[in-house]
């Protein structure tokens, strides 16, 4: 009986040891899987961190923005994100990631002209809009800025298709835009719809800093099994599942994130200081023509204002829709702040 009891105890201890060994092996495998996942996610997060110019506050705010867009797609975020950098930095990779997460049928890649085009068939087809190449165009920028106001903050939009009457559509959009120009459009002092971030480093500076010539190939290999063929057939669905899980479980920091207010970055302040209002652009166009009073070396705000009134009431349709609400103090401000001209008193430059 004693021998049988001892044999049973030995067998039980052997089973416990086997279970512990199996659990240990399983734990090691689970840790390895977690480590593998972390490597994928960490590579993505590292790129997003650099995309916010390595600013910890902007980085955390960016992650909270992405997470909120994923967790609460029905919420209307009434501001856009605009990233400005040198060409070739890698902004497009992030937009590809967002497109795959949101779905191609729910995402539209637009040219900036599509925003103010007469026929905007894209309006009822998506909830995410990406403009990858935002360029400063003084001829159309006023239209772009004006149309963006209602698209970003409003939920009722009218669109027209060819040979069809206008249709009213209810919905809202999340805008992500990028530009190779650090002043992509004009913004007035009250501008609150655009969260603008400047990425100071160039592509070469990034590669030098990370000391990895294969940085971009490794980044694209996260999204596509064959980074040289970034097509939908080569999507890395396993990585997308990890990213989806990461942002669906990300704890949004509501102390810094708001649906109605975006951060006031230095890049945005610079844009406001350097941007030109529509009246200032119209004045510059008038100056370049060299007509009276700009046909002389010296002129006053009063003489310019007089010329503006003549043009607006002279029957020329070209000038009828220009210089709305222009005041003399705006002309003086344009002299000083935009054109960098100086006052003259008694023949002396002050």
């Amino acid at each position: 009986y004693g021998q049988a009891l001892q044999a049973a105890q030995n067998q039980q201890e052997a089973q416990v040891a086997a279970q512990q060994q199996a659990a240990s092996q399983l734990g090691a495998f689970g840790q390895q899987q977690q480590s593998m996942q972390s490597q994928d996610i960490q590579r993505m997060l590292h790129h997003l961190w650099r995309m916010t110019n390595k600013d910890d506050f902007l980085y955390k705010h960016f992650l909270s923005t992405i997470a909120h867009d994923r967790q609460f797609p029905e919420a209307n975020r009434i501001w856009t994100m605009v990233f400005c950098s040198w060409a070739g930095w890698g902004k497009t990779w992030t937009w590809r990631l967002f497109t795959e997460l949101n779905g191609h049928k729910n995402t539209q890649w637009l040219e900036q002209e599509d925003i103010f085009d007469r026929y905007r068939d894209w309006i009822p087809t998506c909830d995410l809009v990406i403009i990858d190449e935002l360029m400063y165009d003084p001829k159309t920028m006023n239209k772009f800025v004006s149309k963006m106001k209602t698209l970003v903050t409003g939920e009722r939009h009218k669109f027209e298709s060819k040979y069809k009457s206008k249709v009213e559509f209810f919905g809202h959009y999340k805008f992500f835009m990028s530009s190779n120009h650090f002043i992509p459009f004009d913004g007035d002092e009250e501008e609150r719809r655009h969260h603008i971030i400047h990425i100071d480093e160039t592509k070469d500076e990034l590669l030098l800093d990370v000391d990895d010539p294969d940085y971009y190939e490794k980044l694209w290999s996260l999204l596509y099994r064959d980074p040289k063929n970034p097509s939908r057939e080569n999507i890395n669905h396993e990585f997308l599942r990890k990213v989806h899980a990461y942002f669906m479980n990300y704890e949004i920091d509501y102390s810094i994130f708001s649906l109605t207010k975006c951060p006031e970055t230095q890049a945005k302040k610079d844009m406001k200081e350097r941007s030109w209002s529509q009246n200032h652009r119209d004045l510059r166009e008038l100056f370049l023509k060299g007509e009276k009073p700009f046909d002389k070396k010296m002129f006053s705000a009063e003489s310019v204002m007089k010329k503006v009134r003549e043009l607006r009431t002279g029957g020329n349709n070209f000038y009828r829709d220009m210089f709305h609400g222009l005041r003399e103090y705006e002309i003086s401000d344009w002299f000083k702040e935009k054109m960098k001209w100086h006052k003259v008193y008694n023949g002396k430059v002050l």
Side-chain angles (χ1 to χ4, degrees):
Y1 174 78
Q3 291 177 348
L5 181 60
Q6 184 64 39
Q9 290 177 345
N10 291 340
Q11 184 179 6
Q12 185 177 6
E13 291 175 356
Q15 290 175 348
V16 171
Q19 291 174 354
Q20 291 177 344
Q21 183 178 7
S24 176
Q25 292 175 349
L26 182 61
F29 177 76
Q31 292 174 1
Q32 183 182 7
Q33 289 295 96
Q34 182 64 33
S35 176
M36 290 173 62
Q37 177 180 354
S38 296
Q39 289 177 4
D40 290 349
I41 297 299
Q42 287 302 320
R43 188 178 295 279
M44 173 196 72
L45 294 178
H46 175 79
H47 190 69
L48 297 181
W49 173 68
R50 303 191 81 98
M51 195 169 178
T52 54
N53 207 33
K54 297 179 281 190
D55 184 294
D56 289 338
F57 171 81
L58 295 179
Y59 169 65
K60 293 176 182 177
H61 185 272
F62 191 23
L63 295 185
S64 290
T65 302
I66 301 170
H68 198 281
D69 287 354
R70 300 302 305 157
Q71 295 176 25
F72 305 100
E74 74 283 359
N76 186 13
R77 170 166 58 83
I78 59 173
W79 45 270
T80 76
M81 294 201 73
V82 185
F83 292 84
C84 306
S85 76
W86 304 100
W89 185 88
K91 304 180 293 297
T92 301
W93 182 88
T94 305
W95 307 152
R96 288 283 189 95
L97 172 64
F98 290 177
T99 301
E100 300 301 341
L101 284 175
N102 196 62
H104 286 259
K105 292 184 178 180
N106 300 324
T107 307
Q108 285 286 348
W109 287 56
L110 303 179
E111 303 290 337
Q112 65 188 54
E113 290 80 8
D114 295 325
I115 297 298
F116 54 85
D117 188 63
R118 178 180 177 182
Y119 303 111
R120 298 187 294 175
D121 295 327
W122 59 269
I123 279 185
T125 66
C126 65
D127 63 353
L128 175 64
V129 175
I130 293 172
I131 302 179
D132 193 30
E133 294 292 340
L134 195 61
M135 297 182 64
Y136 186 94
D137 185 351
K139 295 181 180 179
T140 61
M141 191 51 60
N142 196 42
K143 294 181 182 179
F144 174 81
V145 173
S146 177
K147 289 294 184 182
M148 282 295 294
K149 291 179 180 179
T150 55
L151 287 172
V152 173
T153 58
E155 295 187 349
R156 177 185 294 181
H157 312 282
K158 291 183 179 180
F159 72 97
E160 181 180 358
S161 300
K162 284 187 176 182
Y163 313 115
K164 295 182 180 179
S165 58
K166 287 186 178 180
V167 177
E168 196 170 64
F169 177 76
F170 293 85
H172 55 80
Y173 309 94
K174 296 171 176 63
F175 280 88
F176 290 97
M177 299 182 283
S178 55
S179 176
N180 296 332
H181 302 265
F182 285 88
I183 304 294
F185 49 80
D186 288 332
D188 56 37
E189 290 297 323
E190 302 300 322
E191 179 53 60
R192 64 186 186 279
R193 296 177 180 86
H194 302 289
H195 178 22
I196 301 174
I197 297 177
H198 284 177
I199 307 171
D200 294 333
E201 66 181 357
T202 64
K203 177 181 178 180
D204 292 338
E205 289 171 341
L206 184 153
L207 294 175
L208 184 64
D209 189 41
V210 298
D211 193 23
D212 185 358
D214 298 326
Y215 175 87
Y216 287 103
E217 184 175 350
K218 293 176 181 178
L219 192 66
W220 282 101
S221 66
L222 296 178
L223 268 179
Y224 304 100
R225 291 188 294 267
D226 181 5
K228 296 181 180 179
N229 183 21
S231 61
R232 296 178 64 181
E233 291 74 19
N234 286 317
I235 287 293
N236 185 350
H237 294 285
E238 181 62 27
F239 172 67
L240 289 180
R241 282 192 286 268
K242 294 177 184 179
V243 177
H244 176 76
Y246 177 84
F247 284 113
M248 289 301 291
N249 292 282
Y250 185 86
E251 186 175 351
I252 300 168
D253 189 349
Y254 287 103
S255 67
I256 62 175
F257 175 82
S258 169
L259 283 171
T260 59
K261 185 179 180 180
C262 61
E264 182 79 3
T265 61
Q266 185 60 45
K268 189 172 182 178
K269 293 178 182 178
D270 293 342
M271 184 195 74
K272 289 181 178 180
E273 291 177 0
R274 299 176 187 176
S275 62
W276 290 41
S277 68
Q278 184 60 44
N279 279 337
H280 285 171
R281 291 197 295 270
D282 292 342
L283 285 170
R284 184 175 184 273
E285 184 175 340
L286 185 63
F287 165 73
L288 293 175
K289 290 183 178 181
E291 298 178 357
K292 184 180 180 181
F294 295 120
D295 56 346
K296 300 179 180 179
K297 292 184 178 180
M298 292 186 294
F299 31 81
S300 64
E302 292 83 357
S303 64
V304 175
M305 194 69 214
K306 181 180 179 181
K307 179 64 175 180
V308 167
R309 293 192 182 102
E310 292 175 359
L311 292 173
R312 283 178 57 83
T313 59
N316 190 332
N317 291 334
F318 179 78
Y319 293 105
R320 186 179 59 186
D321 296 325
M322 297 172 66
F323 307 111
H324 284 291
L326 182 65
R327 299 291 184 269
E328 286 186 10
Y329 71 85
E330 290 185 70
I331 300 175
S332 298
D333 180 67
W334 176 69
F335 287 168
K336 180 180 178 182
E337 301 297 334
K338 303 303 180 183
M339 303 302 289
K340 305 300 180 183
W341 291 333
H342 300 283
K343 289 184 177 180
V344 176
Y345 182 74
N346 288 336
K348 296 182 180 180
V349 178
L350 301 181

